[in-house]
């Protein structure tokens, strides 16, 4: 459906840029009708995947959301689904969600009376497995869960360790102008114990989880280079799934802190390309310090798709038109063209004078009304015909 809609992008953009502004004359001879004050009918959501939405052209930080406030909850759906599949037939979905996420509502003030005790109960169950002694947690959950089941035990023990890392990885639910002080997890023995579990596991699901948890723990430690060392040592044996690209984003972030900006930007571009959930994060984090950083990152690309991914983020900050041209040469069917096309259309719209007025010549002079002919003549000079042709070109790559 997206491909069919995208093949109509040129028709939609032409209608917006030409008909809605009453300037068909600008690109072709003929009469035109004045349609009144401009109100764009072009909605970028129609033409690009939802993961790109915050990156549409906007006067704010991000289109539609303002600020990215999903740092704690971005992967909740994936996490719940993955563990529910692993525990299918062992633990009901409601209980899985309770232990994994707890209360998903933002908390802006302390409310101990209504605080969900899922983390305390996981710790209690962990203590039970360690000591074999009953406690409040086993009294509550002993009849609901088969605590002797191996998968249930695996779930509890993983969460016990994951929640330790969450003490530094989870921040406040609100956005603030004040800088956030980075927290570190300095229990080196526990970090090593997580890696040790990873090394001993054979179950693919659990091994993948402990691999990522090791990466996460080392990322939040006071020796972040060990996260890169661990990644380089193990990444060839890891499935290229969401957890892999989340870990790769950690590596990119560490490289940025180490002032290896070209490497950081190259890696962020690969995450942007392969992990839709992290597109807003990687686009925001992509920060070449100068042209040299950019050219070095581009030189690191191993193939055309990796180069296209770099241009896809570069176009968000710089020139959409140039990025589209480069990506079209490298990978004509790249989905990144869709969102860049919407930005180009919207940027062309913004250059059009739809007020039928021109600024007064002197200070404190009122705007001067334009005739229809004057407005048409002015807007004719503002339409970038090569950009409109480019939009037509990328739209035509999809067939009905």
């Amino acid at each position: 459906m997206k491909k069919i809609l995208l093949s109509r992008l040129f028709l939609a953009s032409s209608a917006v840029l030409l008909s809605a502004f009453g300037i068909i004359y600008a690109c072709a001879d003929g009469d035109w009708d004045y349609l009144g004050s401009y109100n764009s009918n072009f909605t970028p959501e129609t033409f690009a995947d939802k993961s790109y939405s915050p990156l549409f052209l906007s006067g704010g930080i991000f289109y539609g959301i303002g600020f990215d406030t999903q740092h704690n909850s971005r992967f909740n759906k994936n996490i719940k689904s993955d563990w529910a599949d692993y525990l299918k037939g062992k633990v009901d979905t409601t209980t899985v969600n309770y232990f994994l996420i707890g209360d998903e509502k933002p908390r802006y003030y302390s409310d101990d009376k209504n605080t969900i005790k899922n983390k305390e109960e996981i710790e209690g169950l962990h203590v039970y497995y360690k000591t074999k002694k009953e406690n409040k947690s086993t009294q509550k959950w002993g009849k609901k869960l088969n605590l002797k089941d191996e998968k249930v035990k695996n779930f509890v023990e993983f969460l016990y360790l994951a929640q330790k890392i969450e003490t530094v990885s989870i921040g406040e639910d609100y956005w603030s102008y004040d800088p956030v002080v980075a927290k570190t997890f300095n229990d080196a023995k526990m970090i090593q114990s997580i890696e040790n579990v990873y090394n001993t596991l054979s179950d693919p699901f659990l091994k993948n989880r402990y691999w990522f948890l090791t990466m996460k723990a080392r990322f939040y430690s006071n020796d972040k280079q060990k996260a890169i060392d661990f990644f380089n040592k193990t990444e060839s044996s890891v499935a290229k799934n969401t957890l892999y690209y989340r870990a790769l984003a950690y590596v990119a972030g560490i490289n940025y802190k180490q002032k290896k900006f070209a490497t950081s930007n190259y890696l962020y571009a690969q995450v942007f390309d392969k992990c839709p959930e992290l597109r807003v994060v990687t686009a925001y984090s992509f920060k070449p310090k100068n042209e040299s950083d950019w050219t070095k990152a581009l030189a690191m690309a191993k193939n055309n798709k990796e180069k296209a991914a770099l241009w896809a983020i570069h176009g968000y900050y710089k020139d959409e038109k140039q990025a589209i041209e480069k990506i079209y040469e490298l990978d004509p069917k790249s989905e990144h063209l869709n969102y860049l096309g919407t930005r180009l259309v919207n940027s062309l719209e913004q250059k059009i004078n739809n007020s039928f007025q021109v600024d007064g010549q002197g200070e404190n002079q009122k705007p001067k009304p334009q005739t229809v002919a004057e407005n048409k003549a002015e807007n004719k000079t503002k339409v970038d015909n090569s950009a409109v042709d480019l939009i037509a070109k990328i739209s035509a790559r999809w067939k009905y």
Side-chain angles (χ1 to χ4, degrees):
M1 187 62 181
K2 286 286 184 186
K3 294 180 180 181
I4 294 174
L5 288 171
L6 181 65
S7 66
R8 298 171 183 165
L9 174 57
F10 174 61
L11 298 178
S13 61
S14 296
V16 170
L17 291 170
L18 306 181
S19 301
F21 291 112
I23 53 169
I24 291 178
Y25 169 89
C27 293
D29 294 334
D31 297 329
W32 56 279
D33 294 322
Y34 167 56
L35 298 178
S37 60
Y38 166 64
N39 182 17
S40 175
N41 291 316
F42 179 78
T43 53
E45 294 92 337
T46 306
F47 302 103
D49 183 79
K50 185 179 179 181
S51 62
Y52 294 98
S53 293
L55 308 181
F56 295 150
L57 195 65
S58 170
I61 302 298
F62 291 117
Y63 177 94
I65 62 173
F67 299 98
D68 179 18
T69 59
Q70 292 188 321
H71 300 294
N72 296 339
S73 60
R74 195 182 318 279
F75 294 98
N76 282 1
K77 183 177 180 181
N78 305 59
I79 293 168
K80 291 187 292 187
S81 176
D82 291 346
W83 279 104
D85 287 344
Y86 174 77
L87 294 164
K88 193 172 184 179
K90 307 287 185 179
V91 185
D92 65 83
T93 301
T94 301
T95 301
V96 171
N97 295 349
Y98 170 84
F99 280 122
L100 283 171
I101 310 299
D103 188 356
E104 295 190 71
K105 297 177 182 178
R107 303 186 66 81
Y108 302 113
Y109 57 89
S110 178
D111 183 10
D112 292 336
K113 183 178 179 180
N114 295 314
T115 299
I116 289 180
K117 306 295 184 180
N118 60 322
K119 293 185 178 181
E120 295 177 20
E121 290 163 1
I122 282 292
E123 185 153 358
L125 293 175
H126 164 75
V127 171
Y128 163 75
Y129 283 125
K130 190 174 183 179
T131 65
K132 306 302 180 184
K133 294 180 180 180
E134 297 286 337
N135 55 47
K136 289 183 179 180
S137 295
T138 57
Q139 289 170 7
K140 177 178 178 179
W141 293 101
K143 294 181 180 179
K144 299 178 182 179
L145 301 173
N146 180 4
L147 296 178
K148 295 182 180 180
D149 186 274
E150 191 66 22
K151 284 193 172 184
V152 173
K153 181 181 179 181
N154 291 339
F155 177 55
V156 169
E157 296 291 57
F158 177 86
L159 279 188
Y160 170 75
L161 294 171
Q163 287 174 177
K164 296 298 182 183
I165 311 304
E166 285 179 358
T167 60
V168 297
S169 68
I170 291 182
E172 301 294 340
D173 286 316
Y174 58 86
W175 186 90
S176 171
Y177 283 104
D178 297 326
V180 177
V181 178
K183 300 176 183 178
T184 57
F185 188 82
N186 298 322
D187 190 336
K189 288 185 178 180
M190 180 164 285
I191 295 174
Q192 188 58 53
S193 71
I194 294 171
E195 183 175 343
N196 291 343
V197 175
Y198 160 75
N199 289 328
T200 61
L201 285 169
S202 59
D203 180 278
F205 176 83
L206 290 175
K207 195 171 185 70
N208 193 214
R209 258 60 196 169
Y210 274 94
W211 177 82
F212 177 73
L213 190 60
T214 303
M215 278 297 303
K216 189 174 185 178
R218 295 211 178 278
F219 174 78
Y220 283 100
S221 76
N222 55 6
D223 189 355
K224 299 183 188 304
Q225 179 59 41
K226 286 188 176 180
I228 294 180
D229 296 341
F230 176 75
F231 183 89
N232 291 338
K233 182 175 67 175
T234 59
E235 63 102 9
S236 63
S237 64
V238 178
K240 303 305 184 284
N241 54 16
T242 299
L243 293 179
Y244 173 86
Y245 289 105
R246 289 176 67 185
L248 188 60
Y250 287 153
V251 175
I254 296 169
N255 273 276
Y256 183 85
K257 288 293 185 181
Q258 295 174 342
K259 301 188 183 304
K260 299 175 183 177
F261 302 121
T263 300
S264 173
N265 292 318
Y266 164 71
L267 295 176
Y268 275 132
Q270 304 322 306
V271 179
F272 178 91
D273 186 48
K274 300 295 186 180
C275 187
E277 296 93 339
L278 283 173
R279 282 195 173 127
V280 65
V281 176
T282 49
Y284 184 80
S285 301
F286 183 88
K287 293 183 177 70
K289 292 294 184 179
N290 49 49
E291 190 64 24
S292 176
D293 287 337
W294 164 245
T295 54
K296 287 178 182 177
L298 205 56
M300 291 178 183
K302 299 179 180 65
N303 51 55
N304 284 354
K305 288 187 75 67
E306 290 191 354
K307 290 178 183 178
L310 281 157
W311 278 108
I313 308 186
H314 190 273
Y316 173 70
Y317 287 103
K318 298 287 187 178
D319 184 342
E320 296 98 343
K321 183 180 175 183
Q322 180 193 31
I324 290 171
E325 290 171 338
K326 294 291 186 180
I327 294 172
Y328 191 83
E329 292 175 5
L330 295 164
D331 185 14
K333 291 191 175 182
S334 170
E335 66 172 338
H336 303 316
L337 289 169
N338 305 11
Y339 104 90
L340 288 170
T342 70
R343 288 180 60 89
L344 182 56
V345 170
N346 286 142
S347 66
L348 292 173
E349 289 181 322
Q350 291 183 356
K351 296 175 183 177
I352 300 298
N353 178 5
N354 63 302
S355 69
F356 285 82
Q357 292 181 331
V358 292
D359 293 336
Q361 296 300 313
E363 188 177 354
N364 298 323
Q365 294 293 312
K366 293 183 179 180
K368 178 184 176 182
Q370 280 184 321
T371 65
V372 169
E374 289 171 338
N375 184 259
K376 178 174 68 175
E378 178 191 357
N379 285 333
K380 179 181 177 180
T381 66
K382 292 184 175 181
V383 173
D384 184 345
N385 291 329
S386 64
V388 175
D389 290 342
L390 182 61
I391 294 168
K393 184 178 179 180
I394 66 169
S395 302
R397 76 195 196 285
W398 297 120
K399 302 299 183 182
Y400 286 95

